């Protein structure tokens, strides 16, 4: 027995083959080849339980929330609020009202930029973000800076794709009113030391927003352990539906922020003279929300909880190492992003072959990857490249997927040789 | 693999490796810049026309995928010596062929070597790559916009 355990690799411990069976869309052919899906950083596939939960809602329970005394409305409300409870547990928030449903990570960042911005950002203030942010954690701050006269400051990263904490420390000063950092880079795969970075910002009483769009599906997230003031993510990158996302905010902060949009559901009472807003989280959820989306997201997080996140981490890390070793053997290939703490994102560039051409050839072989700047143009500028090819992993991928990627890559090289 | 060879014909690969007219053009009297935000393709087209509206010289520079670069290379070779009107007509034919609006057999007859791009019609996401240089050339000649984007 004991010797068996010793020879087991994470690949054996984690039952990826079983996980794969839960995802119907993975079992199809494209261009006459079995699909090899390596574009999980763009969006993940959905397990049958999520599809079923959304389906069941429309088939049976469809109704508006918080608005009716009738049976279905109560049922829909119950399910919607249970999904909020599931999210709370999943990221270990301390209170259910700290979870706000949005359209996605992008809307969550915009919500904070506009509400926190309205109350706390003035001309001359600074907003500090890193050089490896997704456009969705850049542009909302640029808009806010234009509106207020604040300045956007950038924390650089090193060529290996890591934030230099000494430089970060120097950029923190009393002018800085908010720090925004990506937890796991969608282009470099870097896992940033967010707990430490939050601590450093808090030492100067600066709140921190963490962009967890990529982290929630791949590493354990505990917003209280990180001590994040705000944490955002999208449902569709964590095996849930599109059009639903989450903004987590510490209750103290959320209470101090004005509403984002006005409308139904976000009020206590409305007269033409004065409107009294609802309490958090409803204050930030104007209008009929994406009810089915929230229920689907709840189902996705419950599904993910049925696996061990620690095992997923070990399994994906093993797969990342396997793929990295194979890619390193390819002549003329450079891996973009080589941080010590790295998750399953493999960006690379091949001498003399443009990523867009690689993407087309891989696609004809059934291998789905993303090519382009991945909504992180400043990262492309850092390395002075126009684009990368990016293979991004999920726990339903396996070594055969990586082998298929390598074979397809060889074909691309043959065509261009 | 055969569909891939259909798209990446030898002529395209050659022009990608050794692009023709790949340099700026001092003294150009038309210029435009084209972007394809999807994949980061980015080219400048430079044109010098004479008093009879004949394209005396046409060059390009910039960066992009094999399809877009070969297309710019072959286009510039093709258009040299043509009138502005002929260039605009060629743009229409080329566009119709790569978008599959007309049959390559008929449409490409007048386009000669450019027929190698007919395979693009089976790769809808790559049509923009093949036509970027053409859109940029047209913008340069008609001077409606100086910076164009395929999005
Ligand atoms: C790191 C990161 N942040 C934010 C986003 C934005 O997510 P969404 O487009 O779902 O709002 C993405 C995904 O595109 C991402 O990878």
């Amino acid at each position: 027995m004991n010797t068996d355990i010793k020879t087991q690799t994470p690949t054996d411990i984690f039952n990826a083959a079983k996980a794969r069976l839960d995802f119907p869309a993975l079992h199809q052919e494209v261009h006459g080849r079995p699909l090899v899906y390596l574009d999980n950083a763009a969006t993940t596939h959905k397990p049958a339980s999520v599809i079923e939960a959304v389906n069941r809602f429309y088939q049976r329970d469809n109704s508006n929330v918080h608005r009716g005394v009738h049976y279905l409305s109560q049922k829909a409300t119950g399910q919607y609020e249970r999904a909020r409870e599931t999210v709370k547990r999943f990221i270990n928030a301390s209170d259910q009202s700290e979870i706000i449903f949005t359209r996605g990570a992008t809307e969550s960042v915009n919500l904070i930029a506009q509400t926190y911005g309205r109350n706390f950002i003035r001309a001359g203030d600074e907003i500090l973000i890193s050089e490896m942010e997704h456009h969705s954690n850049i542009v909302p701050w640029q808009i806010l800076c234009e509106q207020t006269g604040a300045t956007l400051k950038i924390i650089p990263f090193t060529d290996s794709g890591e934030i230099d904490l000494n430089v970060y420390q120097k950029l923190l000063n009393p002018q800085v009113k908010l720090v925004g950092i990506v937890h796991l880079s969608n282009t470099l795969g870097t896992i940033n030391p967010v707990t430490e970075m939050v601590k450093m910002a808090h030492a100067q009483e600066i709140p921190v927003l963490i962009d967890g769009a990529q982290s929630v599906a791949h590493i354990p997230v505990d917003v209280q352990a990180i001590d994040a003031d705000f944490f955002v993510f999208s449902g569709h990158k964590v095996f849930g539906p599109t059009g639903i996302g989450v903004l987590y905010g510490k209750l103290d902060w959320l209470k101090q922020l004005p509403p984002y949009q006005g409308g139904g559901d976000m009020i206590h009472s409305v007269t033409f003279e004065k409107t009294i807003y609802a309490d958090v989280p409803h204050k930030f959820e104007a209008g009929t929300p994406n009810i089915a989306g929230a229920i689907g997201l709840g189902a996705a997080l419950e599904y993910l909880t049925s696996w061990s996140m620690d095992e997923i981490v070990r399994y994906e890390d093993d797969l990342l190492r396997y793929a990295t070793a194979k890619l390193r053997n390819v002549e003329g290939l450079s891996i973009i992003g080589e941080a010590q703490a790295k998750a399953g994102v493999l960006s690379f560039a091949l001498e003399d072959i443009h990523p867009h051409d690689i993407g087309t050839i891989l696609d004809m072989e059934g291998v789905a990857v993303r090519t382009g700047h991945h909504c992180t143009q400043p990262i492309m500028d850092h390395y002075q490249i126009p684009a990368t090819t990016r293979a991004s992993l999920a726990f339903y991928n396996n070594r055969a997927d990586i082998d298929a990627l390598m074979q397809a890559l060889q074909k691309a090289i043959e065509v261009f040789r | 693999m055969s569909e891939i060879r259909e798209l990446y014909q030898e002529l395209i690969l050659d022009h990608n490796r050794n692009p023709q007219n790949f340099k700026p053009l001092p003294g150009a009297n038309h210029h435009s810049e084209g972007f394809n935000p999807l994949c980061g393709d980015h080219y400048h087209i430079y044109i010098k026309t004479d008093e009879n509206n004949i394209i005396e010289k046409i060059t390009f520079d910039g960066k992009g995928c094999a399809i877009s670069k070969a297309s710019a290379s072959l286009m510039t070779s093709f258009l040299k010596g043509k009138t502005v009107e002929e260039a605009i007509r060629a743009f229409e034919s080329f566009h119709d062929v790569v978008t599959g609006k007309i049959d390559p057999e008929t449409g490409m007859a007048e386009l000669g070597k450019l027929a190698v791009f007919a395979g693009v019609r089976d790769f809808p996401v790559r049509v923009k790559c093949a036509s970027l240089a053409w859109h940029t050339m047209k913008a340069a000649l008609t001077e409606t916009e100086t910076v164009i984007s395929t999005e």
Side-chain angles (χ1 to χ4, degrees):
Chain A
M1 270 310 272
N2 274 343
T3 51
D4 268 4
I5 288 167
K6 263 190 214 140
T7 56
Q8 273 182 338
T9 67
T11 319
D12 304 319
I13 294 165
F14 180 76
N15 200 341
K18 183 166 171 291
R20 206 173 173 104
L21 289 176
D22 295 333
F23 292 79
L26 293 175
H27 308 279
Q28 62 177 306
E29 294 198 339
V30 294
H31 306 303
R33 306 292 173 101
L35 170 67
V36 173
Y37 188 79
L38 294 170
D39 194 17
N40 294 289
T43 198
T44 55
H45 282 292
K46 322 304 172 200
S49 62
V50 168
I51 300 164
E52 179 52 30
V54 172
N55 201 20
R56 204 182 318 119
F57 174 73
Y58 284 125
Q59 293 257 4
R60 217 182 53 194
D61 306 325
N62 176 55
S63 219
N64 211 328
V65 291
H66 305 131
R67 290 185 189 183
V69 293
H70 63 78
Y71 176 76
L72 286 187
S73 175
Q74 289 180 42
K75 215 168 160 193
T77 306
Q79 289 180 46
Y80 182 71
E81 292 304 325
R82 256 197 308 286
R84 200 189 303 277
E85 170 68 27
T86 305
V87 173
K88 177 214 154 206
R89 253 184 291 121
F90 188 78
I91 60 172
N92 193 33
S94 56
D95 195 299
Q96 214 170 296
S97 48
E98 296 181 316
I99 306 299
I100 295 155
F101 284 122
T102 63
R103 276 197 305 126
T106 301
E107 188 176 49
S108 300
V109 178
N110 278 280
L111 191 159
I112 290 303
Q114 288 302 309
T115 59
Y116 178 86
R118 211 179 312 153
N119 279 12
F120 295 102
I121 302 290
R122 301 282 170 268
D125 289 345
E126 293 178 2
I127 293 158
L128 188 56
I129 61 171
S130 88
E131 191 188 359
M132 64 171 89
E133 297 309 310
H134 188 277
H135 293 169
S136 62
N137 201 22
I138 302 175
V139 184
W141 305 116
Q142 288 175 326
I143 292 173
L144 179 64
C145 287
E146 267 173 34
Q147 289 167 335
T148 57
T151 316
L152 193 61
K153 289 283 177 84
I154 308 301
I155 314 159
F157 64 79
T158 63
D159 288 347
S160 63
E162 290 165 323
I163 286 175
D164 183 335
L165 292 182
N166 292 323
V167 181
Y168 171 58
Q169 182 66 61
K170 291 201 186 95
L171 286 164
L172 291 169
N173 71 67
Q175 259 71 52
V176 177
K177 291 295 171 337
L178 190 105
V179 174
I181 303 166
V182 65
H183 196 179
L184 197 172
S185 162
N186 63 309
T187 302
L188 302 170
T190 307
I191 301 169
N192 283 313
V194 289
T195 309
E196 203 173 339
M197 293 180 77
V198 168
K199 208 175 187 178
M200 289 161 73
H202 282 179
Q204 302 190 33
E205 288 171 11
I206 305 164
V208 182
L209 176 144
I210 307 289
D211 172 2
Q214 294 294 339
S215 59
V216 279
H218 303 285
I219 54 179
V221 168
D222 179 332
V223 289
Q224 293 189 73
I226 297 170
D227 203 15
D229 299 280
F230 306 106
F231 185 96
V232 307
F233 68 96
S234 293
H236 70 98
K237 291 182 202 279
V238 59
F239 314 109
T242 53
I244 187 78
V246 169
L247 163 65
Y248 158 84
K250 281 184 184 166
L251 205 52
D252 278 354
W253 276 119
L254 293 181
K255 284 184 175 159
Q256 295 179 61
L257 302 184
Y260 178 46
Q261 294 176 329
D265 274 348
M266 51 78 72
I267 47 88
H268 269 317
S269 70
V270 176
T271 65
F272 287 118
E273 288 70 41
K274 182 157 178 62
T275 289
I276 300 171
Y277 303 128
D279 291 333
V280 288
H282 304 291
K283 181 168 77 175
F284 299 102
E285 291 181 359
T288 300
N290 182 353
I291 306 165
I295 292 167
L297 173 58
L301 299 182
E302 267 159 27
Y303 172 81
L304 194 50
T305 314
S306 75
W307 297 95
S308 147
M309 196 44 119
D310 289 338
E311 281 179 13
I312 289 177
V313 169
R314 277 163 68 204
Y315 176 77
E316 288 186 10
D317 187 55
D318 177 70
L319 211 49
L320 173 69
R321 283 166 200 278
Y322 180 79
T324 304
K326 296 243 157 176
L327 284 171
R328 278 201 215 289
N329 280 336
V330 179
E331 214 187 295
L333 185 147
S334 42
I335 293 176
I336 309 295
E338 299 190 282
Q340 285 289 327
K342 182 175 170 176
V345 175
L346 287 142
S347 267
F348 57 89
L350 259 172
E351 258 169 31
D352 300 330
I353 315 183
H354 192 280
H356 212 186
D357 297 313
I358 297 174
T360 292
I361 294 175
L362 264 47
D363 178 53
M364 294 310 289
E365 298 295 317
V367 179
V369 296
R370 170 117 185 241
T371 62
H373 53 58
H374 321 296
C375 299
T376 54
Q377 276 184 354
I379 296 183
M380 300 301 117
D381 292 345
H382 180 108
Y383 294 103
Q384 301 200 337
I385 48 177
T388 74
T389 304
R390 179 188 73 186
S392 52
L393 311 173
F395 67 129
Y396 45 59
N397 290 120
N398 55 34
R399 289 187 176 194
D401 291 338
I402 304 300
D403 295 341
L405 166 70
M406 297 312 297
Q407 265 176 20
L409 211 50
Q410 280 310 327
K411 293 222 164 123
I413 293 167
E414 266 166 44
V415 169
F416 280 88
R417 194 164 47 202
Chain B
M1 204 59 180
S2 61
E3 306 100 310
I4 291 172
R5 293 283 181 199
E6 207 42 52
L7 176 65
Y8 292 105
Q9 308 245 350
E10 271 316 313
L11 190 64
I12 291 181
L13 295 172
D14 281 349
H15 276 262
N16 175 48
R17 265 183 231 117
N18 302 304
Q20 305 297 297
N21 314 307
F22 189 54
K23 58 188 175 222
L25 181 60
N29 55 352
H30 300 273
H31 162 248
S32 182
E33 191 178 1
F35 287 101
N36 179 349
L38 179 70
C39 49
D41 292 349
H42 180 195
Y43 293 103
H44 292 266
I45 304 272
Y46 311 92
I47 303 171
K48 183 166 186 332
T49 50
D50 68 11
E51 62 283 2
N52 300 317
N53 257 350
I54 290 173
I55 297 173
E56 222 177 285
K57 288 181 186 157
I58 171 167
T59 69
F60 77 104
D61 65 6
K63 269 193 194 142
C65 65
I67 306 289
S68 63
K69 191 185 262 181
S71 177
S73 172
L74 280 152
M75 178 192 79
T76 50
S77 306
F78 179 84
L79 292 180
K80 195 170 169 217
K82 301 263 193 303
T83 65
V84 168
E85 258 174 33
E86 285 168 335
I88 303 293
R89 256 207 318 279
F91 166 86
E92 309 285 348
S93 308
F94 185 84
H95 197 258
D96 286 350
V97 169
V98 294
T99 53
K101 278 209 195 85
I102 55 168
D103 193 57
E105 304 285 301
T106 40
M108 283 296 183
E110 62 188 85
L111 293 176
K113 272 191 199 171
L114 299 174
V116 292
F117 289 101
V120 173
R121 66 218 303 263
D122 296 325
F123 295 82
V125 295
R126 306 306 299 276
V127 168
K128 285 175 178 173
C129 308
S131 53
L132 177 60
W134 288 85
H135 281 287
T136 313
M137 174 279 294
K138 191 181 170 204
L141 287 178
T142 54
E143 283 174 333
T144 45
E145 291 166 84
T146 48
V147 179
I148 72 125
S149 160
T150 58
E151 288 296 285

